[in-house]
Amino acid sequence: MSEVLVTEKLSRRYGRRWALQDVDLKLPTGRIIGLVGPNGAGKTTLMKLAVGLLAPTSGQIEIFGASPWKQPLQVIRRVGYVAQERPLYASFTVRDMLTFGKKLNQVWDENLAVNRLDQLGIPLNLRTNQLSNGQQAQVALVLALAKKPDLLILDEPIGSLDPLARKEFLQVLLDEAATFGQTVLLSSHQISDLEKFCDYLIILSSSRLLVSEDIDQLTATHHWLTCRNEDADRASRSGKVLEIHRNERTCRLLVKADRPIDEAGWQIDNASLEDIVLGYLALRPESTKQEMTV
Ligand code: ATP
């Protein structure tokens, strides 16, 4: 199967508030998939649905062809999940956590875990509540990696890491994924990190899916277009306009265009991934509901 996660009209409600609405996704295997969106967009909800910690209110979700809620055993053995709150047992030492992981999982790579912790300088005899936030994040990732999952789901794993640790953490993920063909789904607010390490992007906002696409495809189809003010209407018809800025003489538009734009006198520049993400997030929810599912 070429898709690791498939959803159809996936929706989840808490009381009367929708956390996720009508999400249709088909995520390819073997990719590093970034998940972005503002606070409260529904990222954690999507991840919890993917690991069977929540049931959908309506719609479907399948991981490797099985329902995480109805067939949890089929899903859990193939999925590693590091939750945002990184629940390590406070009274356990790091070594206890490794023993716990080994007992709980059919597949367990003890060497990988011990070597990695050694590289990071994290002593096995320390209790997890004696570790810094960043070290706890590293331990949680090592525990997830040692399980050798086909799909690794990481909810904001790098928020508490310093810049060097963040880079190293993401590099380890990339190397692991490349070696074992793992798929990684990670949420983050650090768009520049996602740009460096991910090759596929999901954007959620206000419980809706805005984008699910290859990053190469996204950057190839989104441009900044600068033209004279009198050409603005024509320019805005060259694609889907995400942003528009005017000054006295010129107009600058962020445009999604599937075909090349080639117009004498117009300046076309590549849009960065950060520009693209911010452009989508700045759209009003009303317009995103009707128009912006890519
Ligand atoms: P963040 O970036 O802040 O972590 P998120 O994108 O992960 O946000 P979710 O945690 O999925 O967002 O929350 C989506 C929506 O669901 C929010 O409006 C949130 O208030 C609501 N929500 C999440 N969990 C619960 C809960 N247990 N009970 C009630 N509402 C909840």
Side-chain angles (χ1 to χ4, degrees), residues 148-172:
K148 296 277 173 121
D150 295 319
L151 170 63
L152 194 50
I153 298 182
L154 307 170
D155 197 352
E156 287 186 46
I158 51 180
S160 55
L161 302 185
D162 66 62
L164 190 62
R166 224 163 63 206
K167 188 170 164 223
E168 215 230 3
F169 178 102
L170 290 167
Q171 193 58 53
V172 168

mmCIF file of all heavy atoms in Angstrom, residues 148-172:
data_model
loop_
_atom_site.group_PDB
_atom_site.id
_atom_site.type_symbol
_atom_site.label_atom_id
_atom_site.label_comp_id
_atom_site.label_asym_id
_atom_site.label_seq_id
_atom_site.Cartn_x
_atom_site.Cartn_y
_atom_site.Cartn_z
ATOM 1 N N LYS A 148 11.225 0.867 16.415
ATOM 2 C CA LYS A 148 11.324 0.687 14.958
ATOM 3 C C LYS A 148 9.957 0.754 14.274
ATOM 4 O O LYS A 148 9.557 -0.173 13.558
ATOM 5 C CB LYS A 148 11.984 -0.658 14.624
ATOM 6 C CG LYS A 148 13.417 -0.769 15.077
ATOM 7 C CD LYS A 148 14.265 -0.105 14.030
ATOM 8 C CE LYS A 148 15.691 -0.004 14.449
ATOM 9 N NZ LYS A 148 16.642 -0.595 13.675
ATOM 10 N N PRO A 149 9.227 1.833 14.515
ATOM 11 C CA PRO A 149 7.882 1.913 13.928
ATOM 12 C C PRO A 149 7.934 2.218 12.429
ATOM 13 O O PRO A 149 8.904 2.828 11.957
ATOM 14 C CB PRO A 149 7.251 3.085 14.682
ATOM 15 C CG PRO A 149 8.407 3.960 15.032
ATOM 16 C CD PRO A 149 9.592 3.055 15.240
ATOM 17 N N ASP A 150 6.903 1.788 11.713
ATOM 18 C CA ASP A 150 6.806 2.161 10.298
ATOM 19 C C ASP A 150 6.356 3.613 10.159
ATOM 20 O O ASP A 150 6.640 4.267 9.171
ATOM 21 C CB ASP A 150 5.787 1.255 9.582
ATOM 22 C CG ASP A 150 6.262 -0.183 9.570
ATOM 23 O OD1 ASP A 150 7.472 -0.392 9.348
ATOM 24 O OD2 ASP A 150 5.452 -1.092 9.821
ATOM 25 N N LEU A 151 5.602 4.056 11.157
ATOM 26 C CA LEU A 151 5.131 5.451 11.157
ATOM 27 C C LEU A 151 5.446 6.063 12.514
ATOM 28 O O LEU A 151 5.086 5.515 13.558
ATOM 29 C CB LEU A 151 3.610 5.497 10.902
ATOM 30 C CG LEU A 151 2.920 6.847 11.110
ATOM 31 C CD1 LEU A 151 3.436 7.901 10.138
ATOM 32 C CD2 LEU A 151 1.396 6.709 10.956
ATOM 33 N N LEU A 152 6.121 7.189 12.468
ATOM 34 C CA LEU A 152 6.481 7.892 13.702
ATOM 35 C C LEU A 152 5.681 9.188 13.737
ATOM 36 O O LEU A 152 5.770 9.997 12.813
ATOM 37 C CB LEU A 152 7.983 8.181 13.641
ATOM 38 C CG LEU A 152 8.729 8.602 14.881
ATOM 39 C CD1 LEU A 152 8.449 7.662 16.049
ATOM 40 C CD2 LEU A 152 10.223 8.609 14.574
ATOM 41 N N ILE A 153 4.896 9.364 14.809
ATOM 42 C CA ILE A 153 4.063 10.562 14.923
ATOM 43 C C ILE A 153 4.579 11.391 16.108
ATOM 44 O O ILE A 153 4.612 10.905 17.235
ATOM 45 C CB ILE A 153 2.584 10.178 15.137
ATOM 46 C CG1 ILE A 153 2.091 9.391 13.919
ATOM 47 C CG2 ILE A 153 1.726 11.409 15.379
ATOM 48 C CD1 ILE A 153 0.620 8.997 13.991
ATOM 49 N N LEU A 154 4.998 12.612 15.814
ATOM 50 C CA LEU A 154 5.645 13.436 16.842
ATOM 51 C C LEU A 154 4.912 14.764 16.963
ATOM 52 O O LEU A 154 4.862 15.547 16.008
ATOM 53 C CB LEU A 154 7.101 13.696 16.457
ATOM 54 C CG LEU A 154 7.952 12.458 16.141
ATOM 55 C CD1 LEU A 154 9.288 12.864 15.545
ATOM 56 C CD2 LEU A 154 8.171 11.637 17.398
ATOM 57 N N ASP A 155 4.358 15.008 18.145
ATOM 58 C CA ASP A 155 3.584 16.229 18.359
ATOM 59 C C ASP A 155 4.493 17.298 18.965
ATOM 60 O O ASP A 155 4.856 17.213 20.137
ATOM 61 C CB ASP A 155 2.405 15.920 19.294
ATOM 62 C CG ASP A 155 1.339 17.007 19.231
ATOM 63 O OD1 ASP A 155 1.595 18.045 18.599
ATOM 64 O OD2 ASP A 155 0.255 16.799 19.823
ATOM 65 N N GLU A 156 4.857 18.271 18.170
ATOM 66 C CA GLU A 156 5.760 19.363 18.583
ATOM 67 C C GLU A 156 6.959 18.871 19.371
ATOM 68 O O GLU A 156 7.160 19.251 20.524
ATOM 69 C CB GLU A 156 4.987 20.406 19.382
ATOM 70 C CG GLU A 156 4.084 21.214 18.486
ATOM 71 C CD GLU A 156 3.398 22.354 19.221
ATOM 72 O OE1 GLU A 156 4.082 23.058 19.964
ATOM 73 O OE2 GLU A 156 2.192 22.501 19.028
ATOM 74 N N PRO A 157 7.788 18.031 18.746
ATOM 75 C CA PRO A 157 8.894 17.449 19.500
ATOM 76 C C PRO A 157 10.058 18.392 19.710
ATOM 77 O O PRO A 157 10.885 18.171 20.576
ATOM 78 C CB PRO A 157 9.335 16.280 18.606
ATOM 79 C CG PRO A 157 8.999 16.731 17.219
ATOM 80 C CD PRO A 157 7.757 17.571 17.349
ATOM 81 N N ILE A 158 10.144 19.475 18.921
ATOM 82 C CA ILE A 158 11.380 20.250 18.964
ATOM 83 C C ILE A 158 11.226 21.573 19.686
ATOM 84 O O ILE A 158 12.187 22.312 19.821
ATOM 85 C CB ILE A 158 11.931 20.499 17.534
ATOM 86 C CG1 ILE A 158 10.856 21.073 16.617
ATOM 87 C CG2 ILE A 158 12.520 19.232 16.967
ATOM 88 C CD1 ILE A 158 11.325 21.331 15.209
ATOM 89 N N GLY A 159 10.016 21.850 20.182
ATOM 90 C CA GLY A 159 9.759 23.148 20.822
ATOM 91 C C GLY A 159 10.710 23.442 21.963
ATOM 92 O O GLY A 159 11.130 24.584 22.148
ATOM 93 N N SER A 160 11.061 22.421 22.747
ATOM 94 C CA SER A 160 11.876 22.680 23.942
ATOM 95 C C SER A 160 13.374 22.518 23.679
ATOM 96 O O SER A 160 14.165 22.604 24.612
ATOM 97 C CB SER A 160 11.444 21.729 25.051
ATOM 98 O OG SER A 160 11.531 20.400 24.580
ATOM 99 N N LEU A 161 13.763 22.264 22.437
ATOM 100 C CA LEU A 161 15.189 22.024 22.169
ATOM 101 C C LEU A 161 15.911 23.309 21.743
ATOM 102 O O LEU A 161 15.328 24.161 21.076
ATOM 103 C CB LEU A 161 15.348 20.983 21.057
ATOM 104 C CG LEU A 161 14.709 19.615 21.297
ATOM 105 C CD1 LEU A 161 15.065 18.666 20.174
ATOM 106 C CD2 LEU A 161 15.140 19.034 22.631
ATOM 107 N N ASP A 162 17.204 23.391 22.127
ATOM 108 C CA ASP A 162 17.998 24.540 21.671
ATOM 109 C C ASP A 162 18.274 24.353 20.172
ATOM 110 O O ASP A 162 18.103 23.246 19.634
ATOM 111 C CB ASP A 162 19.281 24.669 22.504
ATOM 112 C CG ASP A 162 20.238 23.513 22.297
ATOM 113 O OD1 ASP A 162 20.712 23.325 21.166
ATOM 114 O OD2 ASP A 162 20.497 22.783 23.270
ATOM 115 N N PRO A 163 18.703 25.426 19.470
ATOM 116 C CA PRO A 163 18.814 25.345 18.003
ATOM 117 C C PRO A 163 19.711 24.206 17.510
ATOM 118 O O PRO A 163 19.361 23.520 16.547
ATOM 119 C CB PRO A 163 19.409 26.702 17.619
ATOM 120 C CG PRO A 163 19.033 27.609 18.731
ATOM 121 C CD PRO A 163 18.964 26.787 19.970
ATOM 122 N N LEU A 164 20.836 23.980 18.199
ATOM 123 C CA LEU A 164 21.735 22.917 17.767
ATOM 124 C C LEU A 164 21.090 21.548 17.991
ATOM 125 O O LEU A 164 21.128 20.667 17.115
ATOM 126 C CB LEU A 164 23.064 23.017 18.537
ATOM 127 C CG LEU A 164 24.169 22.132 18.011
ATOM 128 C CD1 LEU A 164 24.532 22.510 16.580
ATOM 129 C CD2 LEU A 164 25.410 22.250 18.916
ATOM 130 N N ALA A 165 20.471 21.378 19.167
ATOM 131 C CA ALA A 165 19.814 20.103 19.489
ATOM 132 C C ALA A 165 18.666 19.844 18.510
ATOM 133 O O ALA A 165 18.421 18.713 18.096
ATOM 134 C CB ALA A 165 19.291 20.129 20.922
ATOM 135 N N ARG A 166 17.975 20.928 18.117
ATOM 136 C CA ARG A 166 16.858 20.813 17.170
ATOM 137 C C ARG A 166 17.352 20.284 15.829
ATOM 138 O O ARG A 166 16.792 19.355 15.259
ATOM 139 C CB ARG A 166 16.272 22.202 16.971
ATOM 140 C CG ARG A 166 14.791 22.221 16.989
ATOM 141 C CD ARG A 166 14.253 23.576 17.190
ATOM 142 N NE ARG A 166 14.581 24.492 16.138
ATOM 143 C CZ ARG A 166 14.649 25.813 16.311
ATOM 144 N NH1 ARG A 166 14.414 26.318 17.489
ATOM 145 N NH2 ARG A 166 14.926 26.595 15.312
ATOM 146 N N LYS A 167 18.446 20.885 15.375
ATOM 147 C CA LYS A 167 19.012 20.487 14.082
ATOM 148 C C LYS A 167 19.442 19.020 14.144
ATOM 149 O O LYS A 167 19.166 18.232 13.233
ATOM 150 C CB LYS A 167 20.212 21.391 13.773
ATOM 151 C CG LYS A 167 20.750 21.221 12.406
ATOM 152 C CD LYS A 167 21.772 22.307 12.102
ATOM 153 C CE LYS A 167 22.576 21.886 10.902
ATOM 154 N NZ LYS A 167 23.980 22.122 11.025
ATOM 155 N N GLU A 168 20.106 18.666 15.251
ATOM 156 C CA GLU A 168 20.622 17.315 15.385
ATOM 157 C C GLU A 168 19.466 16.301 15.481
ATOM 158 O O GLU A 168 19.491 15.238 14.866
ATOM 159 C CB GLU A 168 21.499 17.257 16.633
ATOM 160 C CG GLU A 168 22.668 16.341 16.474
ATOM 161 C CD GLU A 168 22.771 15.376 17.639
ATOM 162 O OE1 GLU A 168 21.902 15.403 18.527
ATOM 163 O OE2 GLU A 168 23.704 14.597 17.636
ATOM 164 N N PHE A 169 18.458 16.677 16.268
ATOM 165 C CA PHE A 169 17.276 15.832 16.463
ATOM 166 C C PHE A 169 16.610 15.535 15.111
ATOM 167 O O PHE A 169 16.308 14.388 14.774
ATOM 168 C CB PHE A 169 16.321 16.604 17.375
ATOM 169 C CG PHE A 169 15.006 15.966 17.690
ATOM 170 C CD1 PHE A 169 14.797 15.337 18.907
ATOM 171 C CD2 PHE A 169 13.946 16.034 16.807
ATOM 172 C CE1 PHE A 169 13.571 14.787 19.222
ATOM 173 C CE2 PHE A 169 12.714 15.481 17.115
ATOM 174 C CZ PHE A 169 12.531 14.859 18.328
ATOM 175 N N LEU A 170 16.455 16.585 14.304
ATOM 176 C CA LEU A 170 15.793 16.408 13.013
ATOM 177 C C LEU A 170 16.677 15.603 12.060
ATOM 178 O O LEU A 170 16.176 14.812 11.269
ATOM 179 C CB LEU A 170 15.419 17.768 12.414
ATOM 180 C CG LEU A 170 14.289 18.469 13.168
ATOM 181 C CD1 LEU A 170 14.155 19.921 12.748
ATOM 182 C CD2 LEU A 170 12.950 17.753 12.961
ATOM 183 N N GLN A 171 17.997 15.786 12.179
ATOM 184 C CA GLN A 171 18.904 15.022 11.317
ATOM 185 C C GLN A 171 18.818 13.525 11.645
ATOM 186 O O GLN A 171 18.806 12.685 10.750
ATOM 187 C CB GLN A 171 20.345 15.539 11.492
ATOM 188 C CG GLN A 171 21.293 15.020 10.431
ATOM 189 C CD GLN A 171 20.841 15.376 9.009
ATOM 190 O OE1 GLN A 171 20.592 16.546 8.713
ATOM 191 N NE2 GLN A 171 20.705 14.380 8.140
ATOM 192 N N VAL A 172 18.735 13.214 12.963
ATOM 193 C CA VAL A 172 18.611 11.802 13.372
ATOM 194 C C VAL A 172 17.319 11.211 12.790
ATOM 195 O O VAL A 172 17.303 10.110 12.241
ATOM 196 C CB VAL A 172 18.595 11.678 14.917
ATOM 197 C CG1 VAL A 172 18.178 10.290 15.355
ATOM 198 C CG2 VAL A 172 19.971 12.006 15.475
#
